[in-house]
Amino acid sequence: MLLLGCVKEVSDYELVISLPNGLSGFVPITQISDAYSKLLSMQVAQGELPEDLNSLSDMYSPGTLVRCIVTSVQKSDDGRRSIKLSIDPKKVNKGLNASALATGMLLSGSVSSVEDHGYLIDIGVIGTHAFLPHEKAKSYIKAVKRGSDLKIGQNLNCVIVEVKNEGRVVRLSIDRSEVAASLATERQNWTLSNLLPGLVVKARVQKIFPFGMKLTFLSYFTGIVDFMHIDPEKSMNYSPDQVVKACILSVHPNSKAVRLTLRPAFLHPGGSPNQLSSDRMGAVVEESTVKAFYKQFGALFELDDGTLAFARLKHLSKNRKSFKPGAFKAGCKHKCRIIDYSLMDEMCVVSLKYQIIEARFLQYRDIQTGDVVQGKMLSLKPIGMQVKVADGIKGLVPSLHLADVILKQPEKKYNIGDEVRCRVLECNPAGKKLILTLKKSLIQSKLPVLSNYEDATPGLITHGFVVCAREFGCIVKFYNDVKGLVPKNELSSEPISCPDKVFYEGQVVKVMVLKCEPQQERLLLSFRLSSKSGPEDKRECTSKEKQEVKYQIGQIVDVKVLKKKDNGLEVAILEEEGNVVAWIPTLHLSDFVATSKLLCHCLQEGDVLPRVMCLSDKGEHIILSRKSAVISAVQEEQVVRNFFEIQPGMLLTGYVRNVMPFGVFVEFPFGVTGLAPKVSMSDKFVTDTKDHFVVGQTVIAKVMNIDEEKQRVLLNLKVSECSSGDSAAESFALLNQYFKELKEIKDLLRRGESSTAQGLCELVPGKELQLVVQDVREDGSALFSGSCVTGLTVTATHYHLGDKNIAPGKKMKALVLHVDALTSEVYVSLREELLKQRP
C-alpha cells in the first residue's frame, strides 16, 4: 500500500513516520535508498565511516512529508501492530516506467551521487537517467539549511522539467516554488497502477456522506475524503459538483481505493503539516466539547484552545461495558488528556480513560533520573529484565541491578507479570532508552541523587554502586553514567592491600565527594565519611561552629590569607572574637579570569584583602568572592534570592559555572543557576562553546524562559540583549576596574625583592628597550636578553622581526607589546612602523 507520511521522529537507525488516521510506522535505515544502503555496507565491510555517509538526522527532520510503501505489518505480543515502511524510490515508484514519464510530473527521488554540475537522482524507474542541475537545487538547499550540498540518501520531491529519448533521460527540479505549484493533470497520463500519494489534483465533489465525501478527479478516478481530512474551516460549506483542490493520501494496491485530504497544509507539495507545541503533549484538558460522534470510529472534540482532537472508541471509556453512547452527543463536555499528535491528520489524539488521565508518565521525557517508578516484568534475559513502566514505555534492569547482591538464578526470584518497584538510573527520551535498578539500597536512599558532574560539590555524601575494584582502588558509578574514583588510600581508615577482595561489582556504597572537575568529568571520592581530626581539623571545626548562622550571603568582610593552594586561598575572616576560616576560589578573586590567576600568584600568606563578600556557607568552608560586579549586584539588590523571584526579562550578574558543548551554565549569588543554550550564547555564530566562555568568567545574563515545574531557567548571554541601556558607561566601569586591579598586582610585585619582579613592574606596553639577540629559533622567532629584562623571557615572532637582519649578539631596538607577569614572558616587536609611532 502506498501512503503519504510525515517524519515524526529521527533516531540513529530508523525514521518514525506519522500516517493518516492516527497510525504510525517506521522506516529502517536499510530502506532509504540503494545508494545509501551501499554506503552502509561499505561501513560494515571497512569498519570506518565513508566520507559520503551522513546520519539520518543530518538528512531528515520531523515535519518532512515523504511517500512510503508498506513492506510488512507485524503483530506484537501485546496486540500492537508494527507497520514497516520503505521510502526507497525503486519500491515507491515501481508502477512507473520510462515511457510513462511526462513533463510536470511530481515524483519522489533520492540523491544517488554528487556530480560537478548537479546530482544524479534515483527515481526508481529502470532504464531512466535522472539529473538535477545545481541551479534547480539552490533555493531548496538554502531553505533547509543542511549544508551547501544535498546528501546521498536524501529524499526529495522532484518535478520533471524535461524528458528526452522516450524517458531514458529526464531533467528535474526541486525548486520550492515549482514543486509547490505542481499539479497532477490528465495530460500526464496517470493510471491506477502508477498513481502516487502526495499528488495534488483538482477534484469535483460527487457525493457528501455523514462521515466524509466522495470526489472525482483526473476525469475518471474516484476517491474518498473521510471526516478527519475535510478542511475544518469549510466543513459546513461543501456541496455536490463543487470544484476543490485535494491531495492523494493513499492508494490501495488491490482494491485501488484512493483516499484524499482537503486540509490546506497538504495542498502545496513540499509543505509541512502543523505541529503541536511540546508543552501541550500530555496536558490534561478539564473541559473538551464533543463536536461529533462516529459509532464505528470514535468522537471528535474541540479542546479549550479551539483545536480539534480525536478519541478512538477504546479511549472513550474504561471498557466496552461501561461505554454510554448518550454521553457523546454534540455539546457534551468531558475531561481528557492529550496522549499523541497525528501530524498527518493535524489533530491531537486524546483519551478519556481515568487511568490515563491520572497516569504519572505518558512519554519517556516525563521520566526524570532518580524517579522511583512502578512497573511490570515483561521478560527476563541474560542481559537483564525488561519492565513495562507505562503504555509505550519500557525499561531495562541490567543483570547487575536485579538485587543488592548478584543473583545467580534470577528466574527463581522473579516471574513474568510481577509488579516491581524500580529507580531510574538513566533516561534518554530521544533514544527511548530507560535504565532502571531494583537495588533496594538505591531505591530507599534518602541521600541526594548525583546525576551530573556539576552537582558533585566537595563534601556531598550520596549512594553509588561499585563497577570496578582493582589494585588502584574502586570506580563508583551514579546516575546518568556519572562515575568517579575512590583511590586506595580513601577506601578505609585501615589499609586495604587487595580492594578486589573487599569490594564487589554491583555493591551499593555510601561515598563522599572530595574533588570534582566537571569539564574533564573527573570525580575524586572517598569511603571515609568520618576521620580522626588533627589540630588543623579541630581549628576548622571550631571555626565552623562559630560561623553557623553568623555570616549571611552578601555580607562584606575583611580577610587575611592563611594558605595558598592550587585552586584558591584559605583565608581568615578578621573579627574581634577571633578568626573564622573561609575559602576564596582563584576564579573569585576578580571579575577577569586572567587577573584572578595573577592575583593568586602575587598574594602571600599574611596579606589582607578588604571588602570580600560571603557567597555561600554550604560545605566545608564559607565561600567568599572578590568579584566587583557580583558584589555590586548584591549590594544594589539586583539579585534573586530563590527560584520563585525570577522573572523573564531580568538582567542578572553571575559567573560561568561550567561550559558544555550544548551551552553555558551560569550561577548567581544565593545559588540560583541557569543555562544559556548554544544559540543564545553570542551574537556571533558559535561553533565551539569553549571559544566564547571560560569557567569563572563574570557575565550579565538575561532571563528568557522559566520552567516552574522542573525549576529550570533559560538564559541569553548575547551582548546585544544584555545591556542595561548605557553600554558606554558599563564598558568604562569595567575598564576602570581592570586597570585598578592591574595597579594592585604591580604594587604586590614591587614589594618583592627579586630583580625579575621589579623588572616586570617597569615594563609596560609601548616602552622602548635596548636588547641583544640571544638566539634565532627554527620557526623564525627570536629570543633577546638585556640588563632591563634580567630573568625574563623576551620573544619576538617572525612577523615582528620585520625585515631586520638579526644574528646572535647583535644589539637591537624593540618595543614592548605584552607582558605576561604569570609566566615572566615579554613579547616585543622590531617592526619599524611601530617604533616610529612611539610618541
Side-chain angles (χ1 to χ4, degrees), residues 583-596:
W583 175 255
I584 308 180
T586 300
L587 295 172
H588 273 278
L589 285 169
S590 168
D591 284 316
F592 311 97
V593 175
T595 311
S596 296

Side-chain angles (χ1 to χ4, degrees), residues 6-10 15-18 22-25 61-64 275 281 339-343:
C6 184
V7 177
K8 189 176 182 181
E9 296 173 22
V10 183
L15 303 174
V16 178
I17 306 292
S18 171
L23 298 173
S24 287
S61 56
T64 306
Q275 299 195 41
M281 191 67 74
I339 58 173
D340 199 2
Y341 182 75
S342 173
L343 286 163

Side-chain angles (χ1 to χ4, degrees), residues 640-683:
V640 288
R641 283 173 167 73
N642 56 58
F643 175 83
F644 301 101
E645 291 185 8
I646 303 172
Q647 297 293 330
M650 277 185 168
L651 289 175
L652 300 173
T653 302
Y655 41 92
V656 175
R657 178 173 165 180
N658 198 10
V659 181
M660 303 298 285
F662 53 82
V664 169
F665 285 96
V666 178
E667 186 168 356
F668 304 101
F670 299 93
V672 177
T673 59
L675 170 68
K678 197 173 180 179
V679 292
S680 303
M681 279 175 51
S682 173
D683 290 303

Side-chain angles (χ1 to χ4, degrees), residues 186-248:
E186 289 86 347
R187 291 178 60 188
Q188 293 165 8
N189 295 320
W190 292 101
T191 67
L192 275 174
S193 60
N194 63 22
L195 199 63
L196 292 170
L199 293 177
V200 175
V201 297
K202 278 189 177 179
R204 187 179 296 274
V205 178
Q206 191 179 64
K207 196 172 183 181
I208 298 175
F209 306 107
F211 303 141
M213 62 177 73
K214 188 177 183 180
L215 305 179
T216 61
F217 61 97
L218 296 178
S219 297
Y220 55 89
F221 295 108
T222 60
I224 299 295
V225 179
D226 65 38
F227 65 92
M228 295 179 80
H229 283 276
I230 292 173
D231 184 353
E233 299 290 326
K234 304 175 183 176
S235 58
M236 305 301 292
N237 300 323
Y238 291 107
S239 59
D241 285 333
Q242 182 180 345
V243 176
V244 293
K245 212 174 180 184
C247 175
I248 297 172

Side-chain angles (χ1 to χ4, degrees), residues 224-440:
I224 299 295
V225 179
D226 65 38
F227 65 92
M228 295 179 80
H229 283 276
I230 292 173
D231 184 353
E233 299 290 326
K234 304 175 183 176
S235 58
M236 305 301 292
N237 300 323
Y238 291 107
S239 59
D241 285 333
Q242 182 180 345
V243 176
V244 293
K245 212 174 180 184
C247 175
I248 297 172
L249 281 182
S250 65
V251 182
H252 196 280
N254 300 324
S255 65
K256 302 300 179 185
V258 179
R259 296 268 174 174
L260 302 102
T261 179
L262 302 181
R263 285 185 167 269
F266 301 96
L267 302 183
H268 299 283
S272 182
N274 296 315
Q275 299 195 41
L276 183 72
S277 62
S278 57
D279 60 327
R280 287 288 282 171
M281 191 67 74
V284 175
V285 181
E286 292 296 331
E287 281 194 348
S288 59
T289 308
V290 178
K291 296 286 286 181
F293 173 66
Y294 308 96
K295 61 181 181 181
Q296 293 179 333
F297 309 107
L300 195 65
F301 293 87
E302 184 178 326
L303 303 182
D304 51 6
D305 60 355
T307 58
L308 294 178
F310 184 72
R312 295 186 183 90
L313 277 177
K314 67 177 183 179
H315 279 285
L316 292 177
S317 60
K318 187 176 180 180
N319 51 50
R320 287 187 179 182
K321 288 182 180 179
S322 61
F323 177 63
K324 297 176 182 178
F328 296 96
K329 291 178 180 177
C332 292
K333 296 186 182 297
H334 293 273
K335 185 177 181 180
C336 65
R337 188 172 188 179
I338 299 172
I339 58 173
D340 199 2
Y341 182 75
S342 173
L343 286 163
M344 284 304 297
D345 304 313
E346 293 186 306
M347 200 175 288
C348 293
V349 179
V350 297
S351 177
L352 277 64
K353 287 186 174 182
Y354 174 80
Q355 62 267 38
I356 289 180
I357 292 172
E358 298 299 321
R360 188 179 169 195
F361 308 118
L362 278 182
Q363 306 169 86
Y364 283 89
R365 69 176 192 150
D366 298 333
I367 301 175
Q368 301 296 317
T369 302
D371 281 347
V372 176
V373 301
Q374 288 290 132
K376 185 181 286 187
M377 176 180 159
L378 294 176
S379 63
L380 192 60
K381 298 177 181 178
I383 193 174
M385 179 194 294
Q386 192 178 42
V387 175
K388 178 184 176 181
V389 176
D391 284 340
I393 301 178
K394 295 176 184 176
L396 175 71
V397 181
S399 54
L400 187 70
H401 282 274
L402 292 173
D404 277 327
V405 295
I406 303 299
L407 298 179
K408 292 183 178 179
Q409 294 178 304
E411 62 277 3
K412 290 187 176 181
K413 181 176 174 66
Y414 300 108
N415 298 300
I416 292 174
D418 282 356
E419 292 284 335
V420 289
R421 188 165 178 257
C422 317
R423 195 163 197 177
V424 179
L425 286 176
E426 185 180 345
C427 184
N428 177 4
K432 295 187 176 179
K433 177 184 176 185
L434 181 63
I435 307 298
L436 308 165
T437 181
L438 284 168
K439 291 181 180 290
K440 282 189 178 179

Side-chain angles (χ1 to χ4, degrees), residues 290 697 806:
V290 178
Q697 183 176 341
I806 60 169

Side-chain angles (χ1 to χ4, degrees), residues 652-835:
L652 300 173
T653 302
Y655 41 92
V656 175
R657 178 173 165 180
N658 198 10
V659 181
M660 303 298 285
F662 53 82
V664 169
F665 285 96
V666 178
E667 186 168 356
F668 304 101
F670 299 93
V672 177
T673 59
L675 170 68
K678 197 173 180 179
V679 292
S680 303
M681 279 175 51
S682 173
D683 290 303
K684 297 178 181 178
F685 180 74
V686 178
T687 303
D688 188 345
T689 53
K690 292 178 182 176
D691 292 341
H692 294 260
F693 291 91
V694 293
V695 173
Q697 183 176 341
T698 303
V699 293
I700 295 174
K702 186 176 184 178
V703 178
M704 300 303 292
N705 191 25
I706 303 164
D707 186 339
E708 291 186 5
E709 186 178 334
K710 297 178 180 177
Q711 294 208 354
R712 292 177 183 170
V713 183
L714 283 183
L715 307 170
N716 192 328
L717 294 178
K718 292 181 180 179
V719 174
S720 60
E721 296 281 343
C722 298
S723 172
S724 61
D726 194 353
S727 55
E730 289 173 355
S731 300
F732 280 120
L734 280 171
L735 277 172
N736 185 46
Q737 181 62 26
Y738 178 73
F739 288 124
K740 184 180 174 183
E741 290 180 9
L742 280 184
K743 183 179 181 301
E744 182 183 4
I745 289 167
K746 284 193 176 182
D747 291 341
L748 290 170
L749 284 169
R750 281 195 180 97
R751 70 182 178 181
E753 296 178 0
S754 72
S755 58
T756 302
Q758 296 297 331
L760 283 169
C761 294
E762 300 302 323
L763 293 174
V764 292
K767 185 173 183 177
E768 192 176 286
L769 304 176
Q770 290 289 340
L771 302 173
V772 177
V773 179
Q774 191 177 4
D775 188 24
V776 180
R777 293 169 170 167
E778 289 182 7
D779 62 1
S781 62
L783 289 174
F784 297 87
S785 61
S787 57
C788 56
V789 291
T790 305
L792 304 176
T793 303
V794 184
T795 309
T797 62
H798 179 66
Y799 171 82
H800 280 289
L801 292 176
D803 55 359
K804 301 282 178 70
N805 294 318
I806 60 169
K810 192 173 182 180
K811 292 183 178 180
M812 312 290 292
K813 273 187 184 180
L815 195 76
V816 176
L817 295 175
H818 176 66
V819 180
D820 190 340
L822 200 60
T823 58
S824 298
E825 292 180 343
V826 181
Y827 296 90
V828 298
S829 177
L830 276 62
R831 294 186 73 89
E832 204 62 42
E833 61 268 29
L834 291 178
L835 288 165

Side-chain angles (χ1 to χ4, degrees), residues 432-672:
K432 295 187 176 179
K433 177 184 176 185
L434 181 63
I435 307 298
L436 308 165
T437 181
L438 284 168
K439 291 181 180 290
K440 282 189 178 179
S441 303
L442 290 177
I443 295 169
Q444 296 172 357
S445 174
K446 301 297 181 186
L447 295 175
V449 170
L450 184 56
S451 59
N452 60 68
Y453 290 93
E454 287 76 26
D455 291 341
T457 52
L460 176 77
I461 296 174
T462 186
H463 277 121
F465 55 94
V466 176
V467 292
C468 174
R470 298 286 187 272
E471 66 279 355
F472 54 78
C474 289
I475 293 176
V476 176
K477 202 171 182 180
F478 304 94
Y479 298 81
N480 275 349
D481 207 30
V482 173
K483 45 186 174 284
L485 171 67
V486 182
K488 198 171 182 179
N489 63 321
E490 293 292 342
L491 294 174
S492 172
S493 54
E494 300 295 326
I496 295 177
S497 56
C498 298
D500 55 326
K501 300 284 176 65
V502 179
F503 302 98
Y504 60 88
E505 189 180 4
Q507 181 178 351
V508 177
V509 289
K510 190 185 284 188
V511 297
M512 182 172 71
V513 176
L514 296 178
K515 184 181 178 183
C516 183
E517 298 175 19
Q519 284 182 298
Q520 287 75 37
E521 295 190 348
R522 290 179 187 162
L523 184 57
L524 192 66
L525 309 164
S526 177
F527 288 159
R528 298 166 63 186
L529 306 183
S530 59
S531 57
K532 293 178 181 179
S533 300
E536 285 191 19
D537 296 321
K538 285 180 181 175
R539 182 192 70 192
E540 290 179 15
C541 289
T542 308
S543 302
K544 186 73 177 178
E545 288 170 9
K546 288 181 187 177
Q547 70 197 39
E548 282 183 7
V549 194
K550 189 165 188 178
Y551 294 98
Q552 296 180 346
I553 296 173
Q555 187 172 342
I556 303 298
V557 294
D558 296 339
V559 299
K560 182 171 75 175
V561 178
L562 294 178
K563 193 185 293 183
K564 288 173 66 173
K565 295 185 179 180
D566 291 340
N567 57 345
L569 303 174
E570 187 174 283
V571 298
I573 298 175
L574 302 177
E575 54 176 26
E576 292 178 7
E577 300 84 42
N579 298 339
V580 175
V581 175
W583 175 255
I584 308 180
T586 300
L587 295 172
H588 273 278
L589 285 169
S590 168
D591 284 316
F592 311 97
V593 175
T595 311
S596 296
K597 295 174 182 177
L598 267 174
L599 276 166
C600 193
H601 174 74
C602 298
L603 287 166
Q604 296 175 7
E605 292 178 14
D607 285 344
V608 174
L609 294 172
R611 291 191 55 75
V612 181
M613 185 184 77
C614 177
L615 190 67
S616 168
D617 61 352
K618 295 177 183 178
E620 189 179 355
H621 289 302
I622 294 173
I623 306 297
L624 305 174
S625 178
R626 201 170 171 265
K627 287 180 176 285
S628 177
V630 175
I631 294 172
S632 296
V634 174
Q635 290 182 327
E636 293 168 13
E637 291 293 321
Q638 300 295 316
V639 289
V640 288
R641 283 173 167 73
N642 56 58
F643 175 83
F644 301 101
E645 291 185 8
I646 303 172
Q647 297 293 330
M650 277 185 168
L651 289 175
L652 300 173
T653 302
Y655 41 92
V656 175
R657 178 173 165 180
N658 198 10
V659 181
M660 303 298 285
F662 53 82
V664 169
F665 285 96
V666 178
E667 186 168 356
F668 304 101
F670 299 93
V672 177

